[in-house]
Amino acid sequence: MEVGVRVTTEDLLSADQRYCCHAYLTFVALPQIPLTNLIPSIPQQKQSQDGTADSEAIALSLAARRCSFSLPKAKAASKSGGLNQASIQLPAIDPVTPVEVERYTMAQTRRETRLQQSREAKEEEERLLSDVRDQMRQWNVSQSKQANLKLTPSDEDGSPRIAMQATFAESAQLVLPQHANSLSITFGGQVMKWMENVAAVSASRFSRVPIVTASIDSLQFHRKTMIGDCLTMRSVVTRVFRSSMEVYVFVDSENLVTGRQTFTNEAFFSMVALQPSPSLQPMKTQLPYLIPGSDLEEALSEAGEKRRIRRLEQRRELAERETRSLVQ
């Protein structure tokens, strides 16, 4: 199901309301999990010849104690029926007013667009981002202070030149019960918050001025993360425009008991550089130049212009629909 969220601000003294932002969130319905599925089965520890518990059995026992489980496969057939027999059929929505009909129609269009983009995702772009992630996993924060990343200013206007690797930022967060829902799955909004924080660090390291988040590209969760997992967020500035920057952020999840690491999600953040207080308006002066340090970084940066055009087009369509709904 798709849920639209509209945020407005209100001046409690004048009662004036102002539109702030809008977003569409996609939720997936899951079968109700029986309580028995949430109770871990502790494997019997094997005893070695000297009477001590086998280390592998202890590790499995600790892993079983984690509040996690495998979600049932909705499409899997089951002779005994039950949760795995069929997918969940949600109730239908019956739009009534013209505004509701338009929203319902646009929601279907957005869904078809998401599915079409997923099917037509270019293998070249997927390989590019995969290679970028592999490269960033080899970076560390201390490398940003190395001498070979301190570039001389531009000969044309004297503006600073910043190596892309120098904007790298990294953050690790342990998923605790307050970060997860009743199924022990991490809240998507919590992951997005952590991603935004590390994106802000990269943008600030590049611009050295106050920054704010302008938009977030479609954020898809490829794999779930659970209570007890360690999430590592890595970010880097990938493209610079007049007063804004594009920052790529991806997340790896690590099971601290088994040591297994998996890629979970990624997104591109648009961050706007602001003038110093009290104006806090977008910068009018030239931002530093972003200098890719390899062919891989160059390809990632060049693709940023296409991503920006796509973002602006989606923002324009959203603004037009918002204006029409207010008039109606």
Side-chain angles (χ1 to χ4, degrees):
M1 73 196 80
E2 180 188 84
V3 179
V5 179
R6 185 175 187 271
V7 181
T8 60
T9 61
E10 178 183 358
D11 188 323
L12 296 180
L13 299 181
S14 64
D16 293 337
Q17 293 188 356
R18 184 180 56 163
Y19 168 74
C20 180
C21 60
H22 201 113
Y24 294 101
L25 290 77
T26 303
F27 292 86
V28 177
L30 300 176
Q32 184 176 359
I33 308 300
L35 293 178
T36 54
N37 287 15
L38 299 179
I39 302 176
S41 57
I42 307 301
Q44 184 177 3
Q45 296 180 1
K46 297 182 294 183
Q47 299 291 327
S48 59
Q49 294 181 355
D50 58 358
T52 60
D54 184 75
S55 58
E56 181 179 358
I58 293 176
L60 291 175
S61 176
L62 293 173
R65 290 191 177 94
R66 293 182 66 243
C67 188
S68 62
F69 52 89
S70 297
L71 295 176
K73 297 180 180 179
K75 297 182 179 180
S78 175
K79 296 181 179 180
S80 59
L83 293 174
N84 295 341
Q85 189 171 9
S87 60
I88 293 178
Q89 182 64 46
L90 293 174
I93 293 180
D94 187 16
V96 178
T97 67
V99 174
E100 291 177 349
V101 172
E102 181 183 11
R103 290 177 177 174
Y104 186 87
T105 304
M106 295 305 300
Q108 181 64 27
T109 302
R110 283 190 295 270
R111 182 177 185 273
E112 293 174 355
T113 301
R114 286 194 297 267
L115 296 177
Q116 187 72 11
Q117 289 176 345
S118 177
R119 287 193 296 265
E120 295 180 351
K122 298 180 180 179
E123 294 183 0
E124 182 179 355
E125 182 177 0
E126 293 178 352
R127 287 196 300 267
L128 172 62
L129 292 179
S130 178
D131 292 341
V132 168
R133 290 193 296 270
D134 290 339
Q135 175 175 291
M136 291 175 63
R137 291 185 182 106
Q138 305 302 319
W139 291 350
N140 60 73
V141 177
S142 63
Q143 291 176 335
S144 63
K145 299 181 179 179
Q146 293 181 0
N148 59 349
L149 296 181
K150 297 180 180 179
L151 307 178
T152 58
S154 171
D155 295 333
E156 298 178 357
D157 54 11
S159 297
R161 299 165 67 247
I162 308 297
M164 181 180 291
Q165 185 178 349
T167 69
F168 173 74
E170 182 178 19
S171 174
Q173 298 287 343
L174 180 64
V175 180
L176 300 176
Q178 63 266 31
H179 302 142
N181 59 22
S182 59
L183 299 179
S184 299
I185 301 175
T186 315
F187 286 123
Q190 180 64 62
V191 178
M192 186 171 65
K193 176 183 177 181
W194 287 334
M195 294 175 69
E196 184 178 10
N197 287 343
V198 72
V201 173
S202 285
S204 297
R205 281 179 175 161
F206 174 78
S207 62
R208 300 300 180 184
V209 296
I211 56 95
V212 292
T213 303
S215 67
I216 305 173
D217 281 12
S218 179
L219 176 58
Q220 298 186 7
F221 296 90
H222 304 288
R223 298 173 183 83
K224 67 178 183 296
T225 57
M226 313 292 295
I227 294 176
D229 287 339
C230 178
L231 304 188
T232 301
M233 282 65 63
R234 297 180 176 92
S235 64
V236 67
V237 176
T238 56
R239 183 80 178 188
V240 179
F241 306 101
R242 185 177 63 85
S243 61
S244 64
M245 298 152 279
E246 179 192 74
V247 183
Y248 175 63
V249 185
F250 76 94
V251 181
D252 283 333
S253 172
E254 178 184 1
N255 184 313
L256 295 179
V257 176
T258 64
R260 180 183 179 185
Q261 298 186 18
T262 56
F263 163 67
T264 62
N265 56 287
E266 64 186 344
F268 285 93
F269 286 71
S270 294
M271 320 293 288
V272 177
L274 303 178
Q275 299 178 33
S277 181
S279 65
L280 294 181
Q281 296 297 315
M283 283 190 61
K284 298 180 180 179
T285 58
Q286 174 68 46
L287 284 171
Y289 291 106
L290 182 70
I291 308 300
S294 65
D295 293 340
L296 184 62
E297 297 174 20
E298 181 70 29
L300 180 63
S301 181
E302 289 181 352
E305 183 61 32
K306 296 181 180 179
R307 291 188 293 266
R308 181 174 184 267
I309 294 175
R310 185 169 60 247
R311 281 193 295 267
L312 294 177
E313 180 64 21
Q314 293 173 347
R315 181 182 300 181
R316 183 187 62 80
E317 294 177 356
L318 180 59
E320 291 178 353
R321 292 196 299 268
E322 182 66 22
T323 302
R324 288 197 302 267
S325 64
L326 290 177
V327 173
Q328 296 174 356

